[in-house]
Amino acid sequence: MKFHKKTTLALLLAGALVPVYATASASALENRAAQTFSSAEKGGQSRVSWGLWLQQQIEQHPDIIAAKAAVNARLSMADGKDKRLYNPELATEFEQEGANDNFALGINQTIDWWDKRSVRMKQGDYDRLAVGQEYKQLLQEKTAEVLHSLVKWQSVNSLAELARSQEEQLNTLLNLVEQRQLSGDLSQVDAELAYLSLSQKLNTTAQAQAQLQQVEADLGQLLPGWSAASGQIPERLWSLGDVNNPVNLDNHPGIVAAKARWQALKQQAVIARLETRADPTFGLSAGKSGGDDVVALSFSMPLNINNDFSDEARAANQEAASVEALYRSVIRKQQFSLQASQAVFLEYQKKYQRWLDVMQGRAERTSRLLAAQWQSGDISTSEYLLALQQRSEGLQAGIELRTAYQGAKIDWLLQTGEIDLVIKQLPAVSPLLIPYK
């Protein structure tokens, strides 16, 4: 069976239409993702790290802006606890006694006898710590959400590119089938099989493109300055942080915030106990009475007889004990979440690396081998199409494995409570082309 050189070359080109993803090593794969960003505030002249660019983008999100406003409100409440408890009171008195006008002007001041203010100040410190750590935790969760979205975009973009490549391959194959059919080498059945495969791939390509558009729209909502040509995750992120090293969760923002809330309520319980002790009020007044100058001192003390506020103090102690239990629960939950995320990441890392080792250079070689066997008549058109589909599924499996591996790494970084520190380690690098183009 003989073919023209042009036909053979077309077959080889059809087999070569494979994504770069199928043949690249792990480092070469993700080395395309690094990016440089310019600071808009400095006229686009200064280069900033990718992590700083990402942080600036996230801080523009309405959820973060709203959270920051709520944080400022709670910080103002905490600042109010630093102030003195009692303001002075101005007292006046006027009476007419016969021909004399009697009057007095005085000032009263309640004294914080039991130093409740110092306890409130400690409570304010814990409130500020809790608010700051809760905001930090929110930022980390939003960062992880954005990174997951970027990984999803990369995956969907790769799948769309794979679908386009397979569509082009089938178009080329269909042209060759029609040529061979005219020469009598293939039957009408072979042409119909090629048409059916192409029609299926057209649907796959359309769905992949639609999903890509939706993911890009979602990213635009999360990151105002994102575009397909910029904002891709640098490859170095996947090598930062040793998952095998022990993680100290003492500084995890969720745990620190829970502990600070517990400590704040402990101080509230102290305040409640102090509220059972009344504070005295002293007063000084001066005026005239019957034409004579009068200076008077006054003293008053509430008598906690009808209500000694012991129920409130007991309730505050019980609430503090409840929050302490929640704090212990947060520690336990975080420890198990970290262990689970570590195990998931290691499993996906192993399988993804194994896939890379297995598929290293094989996708292109397989395509060329199949084209050559179909050309020589060793396999039928239906067998050839089935093999192409299996090859496509193998490449798709690799894309899905990479997505799961990177997503697991993001989850692990989030559980360590240090995802923000890792992001800040990403340097500014030269912009590269969009992956898999």
Side-chain angles (χ1 to χ4, degrees), residues 11-12 367-379 384:
L11 277 169
L12 293 176
S367 182
R368 293 180 182 275
L369 177 61
L370 291 173
Q373 288 185 325
W374 179 74
Q375 176 186 358
S376 62
D378 292 338
I379 59 175
Y384 182 37

Side-chain angles (χ1 to χ4, degrees), residues 80-81 83 85 116-124 271:
K81 295 179 179 180
K83 305 292 180 63
L85 286 179
K116 300 173 186 176
R117 180 191 176 193
S118 64
V119 182
R120 286 168 54 87
M121 291 176 66
K122 291 179 182 179
Q123 185 183 38
I271 293 173

Side-chain angles (χ1 to χ4, degrees), residues 274-289:
L274 293 177
E275 290 293 345
T276 63
R277 304 175 182 179
D279 291 321
T281 301
F282 297 90
L284 173 66
S285 63
K288 283 185 176 294
S289 178

Side-chain angles (χ1 to χ4, degrees), residues 381-393:
T381 302
S382 60
E383 292 173 330
Y384 182 37
L385 292 172
L386 178 60
L388 289 179
Q389 178 62 30
Q390 291 174 336
R391 171 183 166 276
S392 176
E393 291 174 355

Side-chain angles (χ1 to χ4, degrees), residues 98-118:
N100 298 320
D101 292 333
N102 301 329
F103 65 90
L105 180 64
I107 187 167
N108 299 325
Q109 176 66 59
T110 302
I111 305 300
D112 181 15
W113 194 264
W114 307 104
D115 197 16
K116 300 173 186 176
R117 180 191 176 193
S118 64

